[in-house]
Structure formats: C-alpha cells, structure tokens
Amino acid sequence: MHADFSDIDRRMMELALEEANKAMALEEVPIGAVVSLNGEVISRAHNLRETTQDPTAHAELLAIRQAAEVLGSWRLIDTTLYVTLEPCVMCMGAIILARIPKLIYASRDPRAGAVGSIYRLHEDERFNHRVEVAEGLLADECSELLSGFFRRLRQEKRDRKNSQY
C-alpha cells in the first residue's frame, strides 16, 4: 500500500491537511479530504459532524457529494480521493459506490479504519469495484494534528473536572 508519491499527490494532501485544520478551528475532529481529477481540485471538505449534528458529515462524504455535483455524475471515474485519515466503513462504502479508482490517505485509524486497520473493504471481491490504495503521505503531520487535538480535549476535560472540586 505504500507508494512513491508525486508532487501533485503531495500538493493535494497538503490541501487535505488545510481542510483538517479548518475542522480543528471549528472544534471538529481534524480530518480533511480532497477529490482531484487530472491533477486539479474538484472538491475539498472537512469534518462537520459536530457543527451540523449530522453523523454522516465526514470529510470524505462531503467531498464526494461536492465532486458528484461538480461533475454532474455520481460516478467519480478517473478521480483520486486524498484524505488525512484512513476512511471508516461508511466512507469506504461511499468511495466504492462512487467508483473512485484511487484513494490516498495519510494515517491509519486503528479504531475505525476500513482500508486495513480493521477491514479491507477495497479488496473485497464481492464488490463490483476495486479501489487502488496508497497510504502514508504526510502521515506524521496528519497524525500529529489528530493526536494534538485529542490530547487537548483530554486536558480540557481534566481541567473542567479539577475545577469542580
């Protein structure tokens, strides 16, 4: 799953990381996604679950919806999805159903990842579409963003608990 990444791949993941930072500024879990076609951005999004109180408002799903609107088709053929964290089952299902041929993600998600951490949906031969996957692009930066976010939340929770006494 590891690959040599192009300058375009690096630029797209940097944009996904920018989206993750937008999510963090909103107190959302900092995950960002970008859909590209022929090296051009056609959509970008970040998590908005807390903001919208919508459990499906994951960065990947929002980016996929935007891309489908831009292309005027639910079939996102010839696109690449870049995401800062390994997609969950819901998002991987949407990637497969949208016919996205290539997924590049930064960090693994040991609790919910559906591309190797828990499941390997992209390799399931029962589906009528396969997704080429590469991982590890800007993994350290994306992992640190997530770790820092959750570390801060835990500290704030401890501080609130301690201030009650």
Side-chain angles (χ1 to χ4, degrees), residues 93 96-97 120-130:
I96 291 166
L97 292 173
R120 302 184 68 79
L121 293 183
H122 64 293
E123 293 177 346
D124 193 320
E125 294 180 2
R126 294 170 291 184
F127 293 119
N128 65 345
H129 176 70
R130 303 289 172 287

Side-chain angles (χ1 to χ4, degrees), residues 27-159:
E27 299 295 319
E28 295 278 354
V29 175
I31 300 171
V34 170
V35 177
S36 75
L37 177 65
N38 302 322
E40 298 296 322
V41 174
I42 58 171
S43 68
R44 51 193 289 179
H46 51 274
N47 270 9
L48 288 173
R49 288 190 316 170
E50 297 298 330
T51 301
T52 63
Q53 290 301 298
D54 177 353
T56 69
H58 289 206
E60 301 96 318
L61 289 186
L62 298 172
I64 288 168
R65 287 179 191 142
Q66 287 176 22
E69 192 171 318
V70 167
L71 296 177
S73 175
W74 61 267
R75 291 178 186 90
L76 303 184
I77 297 167
D78 298 326
T79 63
T80 301
L81 174 63
Y82 298 84
V83 64
T84 57
L85 186 68
E86 178 183 2
C88 69
V89 171
M90 176 180 66
C91 292
M92 199 59 217
I95 292 164
I96 291 166
L97 292 173
R99 308 296 194 268
I100 295 173
K102 188 170 184 180
L103 165 68
I104 298 177
Y105 70 92
S107 306
R108 285 206 166 194
D109 184 352
R111 291 192 175 121
V115 191
S117 291
I118 296 177
Y119 299 105
R120 302 184 68 79
L121 293 183
H122 64 293
E123 293 177 346
D124 193 320
E125 294 180 2
R126 294 170 291 184
F127 293 119
N128 65 345
H129 176 70
R130 303 289 172 287
V131 180
E132 177 188 341
V133 173
E135 70 171 282
L137 180 57
L138 300 183
D140 292 342
E141 295 90 329
C142 294
S143 291
E144 183 50 42
L145 185 66
L146 281 160
S147 297
F149 175 79
F150 287 113
R151 191 171 31 250
R152 183 175 54 83
L153 285 183
R154 286 189 300 274
Q155 184 60 50
E156 288 172 1
K157 186 176 181 180
R158 279 192 296 271
D159 291 348

Side-chain angles (χ1 to χ4, degrees), residues 11-22:
R11 184 172 59 107
M12 294 300 161
M13 189 61 79
E14 287 169 353
L15 294 174
L17 190 53
E18 284 179 19
E19 289 297 318
N21 277 298
K22 290 178 186 177

